[in-house]
Amino acid sequence: MMNLIERDEALTSLQEMLAAALTGKGKVAMLSGTVATGKSALLDAFAEQAVELGALPVAATASRMEQDLPLGVLGQLIEEAPLVEEERVRALALLEEGKQTAMSSGLASETLDQVDAQIAHALCTVLLELSERYPLVIVVDDVHYADRPSLLCLAYLARRVRFARIMVIFSYSDYVRSTDAFFWTDLLRQPYCGVVQLNPLSRQGVHTLVRERAGEEVAVRFAEDWYAFSAGNPLLAAALIEDYLGGPGERDGEPVTDEPVVGERYGQAVLTCLHRGEPELLRIARCLAVLGDTDSLDRLLGLGHTQISRAMNALTAGGVLSVGRFRHESARTAVLAEVGLDERRDLHRRAAELAHADGAATSVIADHLVQAGPIDAPWVVPVLEDAARDALREGRTERGVDYLRLAWQACTDERRRLKIATMLVRAEWRINPEAPDRHLADLTEAMQRGHLRGSDGVVLARALLWHGRYDDAQDVIEHLTTAGYESDPETVMELNIARPWLRATHPAFASKLGEPRADTGTALVSVAAGRRLETATALAQVLVNGPHEGALIAVERILRLARLDEMSMDTVECALLALTYGGQAEKAAPLCDLFSVEASSRRAPSRQARLSAIRAEMAVRQGDMVSAEQYARAALEIMPITSWGVTVGSPLGSLVIALTAMGRFDDVHDILDRPVLDAMFESRYGLHYLYARGRYSLAVGQAALALRDFQLCGELTGRWGLDVPGLLPWRAGAAEACLQMGRSEQASRLIEDQLSRCNSRTPRELGMTIRLLAATSELRHRPMLLRKSADMLQNGGDRYEQARSLFDLAEAYRGLGEHRRVGMIMIRARALMKECGAEIGGAQAAAETGKQASPALSGGSAALLSEAERRVAVLAAAGHTNREIAGELYLTVSTVEQHLTRIYRKLDISSRADLPAVLEFGGAAVG
């Protein structure tokens, strides 16, 4: 029998007792065990065996619902007994008389007076006389639920079976055995009474159960886990097996999942165990499901500590709990589903009050408050505010928002409520900048009434600018400059930070704050505020005056020494952008990746999206169009376009540039068809969008449209004082558009102007401009310019623009008839384009029709060359002459010739035309 695993010892004990009873030596067996350990199944199996041995089973099952029915259990035994008609009539009459007596004497009595002694004697005599004809096995399952009169009669019968052919078996739950002390003490002191204990299944027992029902393979995979979830409770273990068999199970002989299946049947089995136990077990389980821990259970439920301890032990022994918690979340979910909303709220309310009285952590109290609903107490709002600050500091953003929302609802003081609303705007911003929009109107009105702190007003202004609500933002900024906040250090510091930030992001508003007054000072409110000021100033300096080495070193140090939770997102954003626009995207990219991982782990989608947008800008400047597309799309997926406000120009601009370089013009057309806020074009983000749109127009042959966008970029950057090559090389784009339109003189002027603004700190922009300069130069001068352009772009880290210069270089050599060099340069250019994920277009496509190049050098062959030889080989493969190589590497022409001779010999080639265009140098690909 599958349900009787590890029950041989118990069966043997019962069989020995029955053997004695059959010889006239009556026995009483007390079958004990926790809920659902298989007591009923064992009794059923034993009853079948008793029949085979010649005994007659007579059974009754007690129920909690029938405890108020006098003699109900004894009546079941009388009705099941095979009595002759005369005996049955007499017994039923006695039962009726006994019921009347019990009801008249009261059910609370523990004396035999509750049932007339003569009636009890007569009813028991019916069974005793029956045993003279048939050996009896009288079974009462769940005797702890029997009505009091029946217990009195059963105790009377048990005392008289010693010399009868009767075996009496009472099964009961360990937890409730002490309910009727007189019954247990009276029986257990009898020498013919024995206790048979049923324990939960062992690990091996669960393994056997699984093997019998689901097979050895399933047992090997899941028996250990299912033992942990059931603690050997047969009902729970069987339910877990049923969940597996009724779930995904196997497909084509292979398991669908390697995880143990825990489903609805397991949850129902847990509820069955609880409902079959005492009501207080269910109450405690429900309280645990709602609150999650055992703290203050005694006070919450009004139960004594001893009572709680006994109940917890029973739930643990029954396989429901382990160390005060549910063994599996499915059990908690099932119990929780039965708890009504009002009951849940009441439990959380009382738990919050007790936790506050005990001085618990504010987060513990706040968690209960969020679930409890409104509580009118003076300590509620301060607790929620403190808990929110801690949660936001620890990166638990969503929980912090929950605390602040409840605090905002519960607060009745207007000024404090506005302060909470400002905190809420900041917190919700981390998740979705669109969410706090509903608070902005109220905060703006409060600002005008003078009810909002100056520092909070700066936060409000920035939020309004994000959403393009420039009129409201201007009103707030004007209020900040005229309301006399000079005596508030925090407001002064926020205004000092806002000035360079506005200069770099919303330059049209920078002048509205004016210059700081000399008498306000620059004392730092905090280290974090100092970092924000330093990075915002550095970004503004880079965009106004170009990169400054000292400032870039400082912001890199800030990024490397700090974590995201120690600084605001503004600090991270300004520092990363300062490095990026300062020509150091290669340094900024790995730092940005680290902060992105941290933002993800802290569940701050808004931060993660903004970092992805910045990372896309870096990828564009590195010529990595595949990554640029991935980061830009990730930014727009993490945070929808409607939440980006005017800042959407950044991810959209990067996405348009990347897709344009890939030749996916239909995708770009769809993106540019999406509506954007007009206010975007009054911010730095609009510049990114315009420049990207110009690049797309150039690629599809709409040079006039491209020129218009590039010139608008120039007009805006000039008006705002942000006309530096590192932000957007709009003159290079405009010059390229002019060249397409045949306006070479205009192109030349733009190129000369751009060259005058570039220097060694802007190698990327300088290389892009020199490529265009070559296009306006005589053919014989182009190779020298294009090689310089490619070198500058390699130093600047932009592989895409470098590939474009190499394609133009190949075309220049083709025009000069130097076909030998075309192929070598083309393979290098194609390799770069492939790395970028870009597509060849324009003049590059024409050059692509040229001579096929030699194969790339294998890793084994490259290892033959010394470091000096590799340097020479790289430059020679790129088309440099011996004299140019000598100048580049500071060697004599003779030394270069000697290196080439050895290179040819080692690589088994005859001339530089056979040199591979892609070489590895210093552990990295050089091409």
Side-chain angles (χ1 to χ4, degrees):
M1 300 180 186
M2 290 187 294
N3 289 333
L4 297 184
I5 295 170
E6 294 187 337
R7 298 297 181 249
D8 291 345
E9 184 177 344
L11 271 176
T12 299
S13 297
L14 294 177
Q15 289 165 355
E16 291 174 352
M17 289 180 157
L18 176 58
L22 291 174
T23 63
K25 298 178 181 179
K27 297 291 182 181
V28 176
M30 308 293 285
L31 182 61
S32 174
T34 60
V35 174
T37 48
K39 297 185 294 293
S40 299
L42 180 66
L43 291 177
D44 291 341
F46 180 69
E48 293 179 8
Q49 292 184 4
V51 172
E52 295 175 357
L53 294 174
L56 179 65
V58 178
T61 300
S63 169
R64 187 192 300 122
M65 292 184 293
E66 297 179 4
Q67 276 187 303
D68 293 337
L69 181 62
L71 295 176
V73 171
L74 191 63
Q76 290 183 51
L77 295 175
I78 295 297
E79 290 175 1
E80 187 167 314
L83 303 175
V84 298
E85 184 61 25
E86 181 180 347
E87 291 174 329
R88 183 172 301 279
V89 171
R90 179 165 61 89
L92 291 176
L94 289 170
L95 282 172
E96 184 60 32
E97 185 179 352
K99 290 178 184 179
Q100 297 300 324
T101 303
M103 294 176 67
S104 62
S105 61
L107 295 177
S109 174
E110 293 188 6
T111 67
L112 198 59
D113 294 339
Q114 183 182 166
V115 179
D116 185 271
Q118 295 299 322
I119 295 175
H121 175 76
L123 287 170
C124 292
T125 298
V126 171
L127 297 174
L128 289 167
E129 290 177 350
L130 181 61
S131 70
E132 295 176 358
R133 300 197 299 272
Y134 314 103
L136 296 181
V137 175
I138 298 175
V139 178
V140 180
D141 198 6
D142 289 341
V143 71
H144 49 281
Y145 289 138
D147 59 279
R148 186 64 61 90
S150 290
L151 284 177
L152 292 169
C153 291
L154 291 172
Y156 184 93
L157 173 65
R159 289 193 295 271
R160 285 158 178 78
V161 301
R162 184 173 186 179
F163 301 109
R165 294 193 301 170
I166 296 179
M167 178 180 180
V168 182
I169 309 175
F170 299 123
S171 79
Y172 64 94
S173 171
D174 289 341
Y175 179 71
V176 292
R177 168 181 160 178
S178 61
T179 301
D180 294 292
F182 81 93
F183 180 76
W184 312 104
T185 56
D186 189 53
L187 291 184
L188 291 176
R189 66 186 181 85
Q190 303 300 331
Y192 51 87
C193 180
V195 177
V196 178
Q197 180 70 39
L198 287 190
N199 295 315
L201 300 179
S202 66
R203 280 184 169 81
Q204 185 57 45
V206 172
H207 185 100
T208 301
L209 179 65
V210 178
R211 185 182 68 242
E212 289 185 356
R213 297 196 178 187
E216 177 64 24
E217 185 178 351
V218 176
V220 170
R221 290 207 311 270
F222 301 131
E224 187 66 26
D225 290 316
W226 288 342
Y227 175 78
F229 299 154
S230 66
N233 182 313
L235 179 64
L236 299 182
L240 289 165
I241 297 170
E242 290 174 9
D243 277 331
Y244 174 82
L245 296 176
E250 299 181 354
R251 186 180 297 119
D252 299 328
E254 295 294 328
V256 173
T257 175
D258 290 331
E259 297 297 322
V261 177
V262 181
E264 183 178 349
R265 293 179 180 85
Y266 172 75
Q268 289 299 319
V270 168
L271 292 176
T272 299
C273 291
L274 295 173
H275 283 284
R276 285 169 60 178
E278 288 298 289
E280 63 194 48
L281 295 184
L282 182 59
R283 288 179 61 202
I284 290 173
R286 286 180 170 179
C287 193
L288 282 173
V290 172
L291 304 180
D293 56 50
T294 59
D295 295 342
S296 306
L297 271 181
D298 50 350
R299 290 182 291 168
L300 280 170
L301 297 175
L303 300 174
H305 179 75
T306 301
Q307 200 171 4
I308 292 288
S309 180
R310 285 188 64 247
M312 294 295 292
N313 290 337
L315 290 170
T316 301
V320 177
L321 302 182
S322 175
V323 198
R325 296 184 179 276
F326 287 95
R327 290 183 177 269
H328 193 276
E329 185 62 23
S330 294
R332 179 176 178 269
T333 301
V335 174
L336 200 59
E338 287 196 331
V339 183
L341 180 59
D342 290 341
E343 183 180 352
R344 287 192 208 183
R345 286 180 172 173
D346 183 62
L347 282 171
H348 281 295
R349 177 187 58 78
R350 288 185 285 145
E353 292 169 346
L354 288 173
H356 179 258
D358 292 343
T362 55
S363 61
V364 173
I365 306 171
D367 282 339
H368 290 305
L369 289 173
V370 169
Q371 300 293 330
I375 297 179
D376 185 13
W379 51 267
V380 169
V381 173
V383 164
L384 289 169
E385 287 181 291
D386 288 343
R389 292 188 191 96
D390 291 340
L392 295 173
R393 190 181 307 115
E394 295 165 4
R396 297 182 292 116
T397 307
E398 293 178 356
R399 183 53 78 183
V401 168
D402 290 339
Y403 298 157
L404 289 172
R405 284 175 179 168
L406 183 59
W408 182 75
Q409 293 170 1
C411 186
T412 56
D413 180 83
E414 184 179 0
R415 289 183 179 272
R416 188 167 193 167
R417 199 165 189 257
L418 290 170
K419 180 182 176 182
I420 295 170
T422 307
M423 291 175 61
L424 184 56
V425 167
R426 288 175 169 174
E428 289 181 329
W429 204 275
R430 298 187 188 183
I431 301 172
N432 182 359
E434 190 177 23
D437 187 55
R438 61 183 178 276
H439 299 291
L440 299 184
D442 293 338
L443 292 174
T444 302
E445 182 181 350
M447 186 76 193
Q448 299 301 331
R449 297 201 309 268
H451 292 173
L452 203 64
R453 297 184 310 167
S455 57
D456 292 337
V458 176
V459 174
L460 173 60
R462 295 180 64 160
L464 292 168
L465 288 171
W466 175 288
H467 289 288
R469 295 167 59 174
Y470 286 168
D471 290 341
D472 292 336
Q474 182 169 333
D475 291 342
V476 172
I477 290 174
E478 288 177 354
H479 179 84
L480 288 169
T481 58
T482 58
Y485 288 109
E486 293 82 0
S487 61
D488 179 11
E490 187 174 354
T491 300
V492 170
M493 188 62 187
E494 288 298 328
L495 290 172
N496 287 338
I497 295 170
R499 288 184 179 93
W501 179 83
L502 286 172
R503 188 82 174 85
T505 308
H506 297 275
F509 287 85
S511 60
K512 300 184 185 302
L513 274 182
E515 295 300 322
R517 284 174 45 179
D519 58 348
T520 58
T522 56
L524 295 183
V525 176
S526 66
V527 173
R531 288 172 173 169
R532 290 172 57 211
L533 177 60
E534 187 173 3
T535 54
T537 302
L539 176 59
Q541 288 177 348
V542 167
L543 294 183
V544 174
N545 302 315
H548 182 274
E549 186 175 357
L552 296 182
I553 291 174
V555 298
E556 183 183 356
R557 183 183 67 251
I558 290 175
L559 288 172
R560 292 189 181 279
L561 295 180
R563 292 169 58 86
L564 192 61
D565 59 334
E566 297 173 356
M567 56 209 305
S568 73
M569 181 60 196
D570 297 329
T571 305
V572 177
E573 190 170 40
C574 288
L576 290 173
L577 290 176
L579 288 175
T580 301
Y581 299 145
Q584 297 186 14
E586 75 286 352
K587 291 183 178 180
L591 296 172
C592 187
D593 292 339
L594 291 175
F595 287 120
S596 294
V597 171
E598 193 165 359
S600 176
S601 66
R602 291 179 174 276
R603 297 182 180 179
S606 171
R607 290 181 171 185
Q608 191 179 355
R610 290 163 67 184
L611 288 166
S612 293
I614 295 171
R615 189 65 177 83
E617 280 197 57
M618 296 174 187
V620 166
R621 290 166 183 266
Q622 293 175 307
D624 186 354
M625 299 306 172
V626 173
S627 295
E629 181 196 8
Q630 291 174 348
Y631 287 120
R633 288 197 185 278
L636 296 170
E637 288 172 2
I638 295 170
M639 195 163 71
I641 286 183
T642 54
S643 298
W644 280 91
V646 299
T647 67
V648 75
S650 172
L652 285 183
S654 298
L655 185 58
V656 166
I657 290 176
L659 294 174
T660 298
M662 295 175 177
R664 292 159 56 182
F665 302 136
D666 289 341
D667 291 345
V668 176
H669 184 270
D670 292 340
I671 293 170
L672 295 177
D673 261 358
R674 298 177 183 176
V676 293
L677 295 175
D678 291 338
M680 181 184 73
F681 298 101
E682 298 182 52
S683 69
R684 187 188 76 235
Y685 308 104
L687 296 175
H688 293 291
Y689 187 88
L690 287 170
Y691 180 77
R693 192 169 67 184
R695 293 277 292 262
Y696 163 73
S697 297
L698 267 181
V700 296
Q702 297 176 342
L705 292 178
L707 181 60
R708 186 181 65 182
D709 280 338
F710 291 136
Q711 287 177 332
L712 182 54
C713 282
E715 179 185 336
L716 292 174
T717 56
R719 184 194 310 164
W720 296 337
L722 303 181
D723 194 0
V724 292
L727 176 58
L728 295 170
W730 66 267
R731 288 180 179 83
E736 191 167 354
C738 288
L739 289 174
Q740 279 194 20
M741 300 168 67
R743 301 180 184 179
S744 57
E745 292 185 4
Q746 185 178 357
S748 296
R749 288 195 299 272
L750 288 165
I751 291 168
E752 289 175 8
D753 192 3
Q754 180 80 333
L755 287 173
S756 68
R757 297 170 183 271
C758 294
N759 53 44
S760 59
R761 293 178 182 172
T762 56
R764 173 178 177 266
E765 292 72 26
L766 183 57
M768 294 170 65
T769 309
I770 292 175
R771 182 179 74 84
L772 297 171
L773 177 63
T776 63
S777 303
E778 294 182 19
L779 181 60
R780 60 192 179 91
H781 296 310
R782 291 179 189 174
M784 178 189 66
L785 292 170
L786 290 169
R787 284 198 300 269
K788 183 176 181 180
S789 170
D791 289 342
M792 296 299 296
L793 288 164
Q794 181 172 340
N795 292 337
D798 192 331
R799 291 172 293 173
Y800 173 71
E801 291 295 340
Q802 182 188 2
R804 296 183 73 195
S805 290
L806 289 175
F807 278 119
D808 286 357
L809 177 59
E811 180 64 13
Y813 278 131
R814 175 178 297 282
L816 292 171
E818 298 188 33
H819 301 289
R820 175 178 57 84
R821 297 186 175 188
V822 173
M824 294 186 295
I825 297 171
M826 279 300 303
I827 192 170
R828 187 181 179 200
R830 285 201 307 271
L832 284 174
M833 277 291 184
K834 184 176 181 181
E835 289 178 15
C836 299
E839 185 176 278
I840 303 166
Q844 292 86 355
E848 182 70 352
T849 62
K851 173 184 173 182
Q852 294 299 311
S854 58
L857 184 67
S858 67
S861 300
L864 298 174
L865 302 182
S866 68
E867 181 176 328
E869 289 166 351
R870 290 185 192 181
R871 290 182 182 274
V872 171
V874 167
L875 295 174
H880 291 267
T881 66
N882 289 358
R883 186 171 300 281
E884 289 169 344
I885 295 173
E888 182 76 18
L889 300 180
Y890 301 101
L891 303 172
T892 65
V893 174
S894 175
T895 301
V896 172
E897 291 173 349
Q898 293 172 25
H899 278 313
L900 286 172
T901 299
R902 287 193 292 271
I903 291 167
Y904 297 160
R905 184 176 66 251
K906 289 182 179 181
L907 300 184
D908 194 23
I909 58 178
S910 58
S911 68
R912 68 200 305 147
D914 298 324
L915 280 171
V918 179
L919 297 172
E920 288 189 358
F921 180 74
V926 179

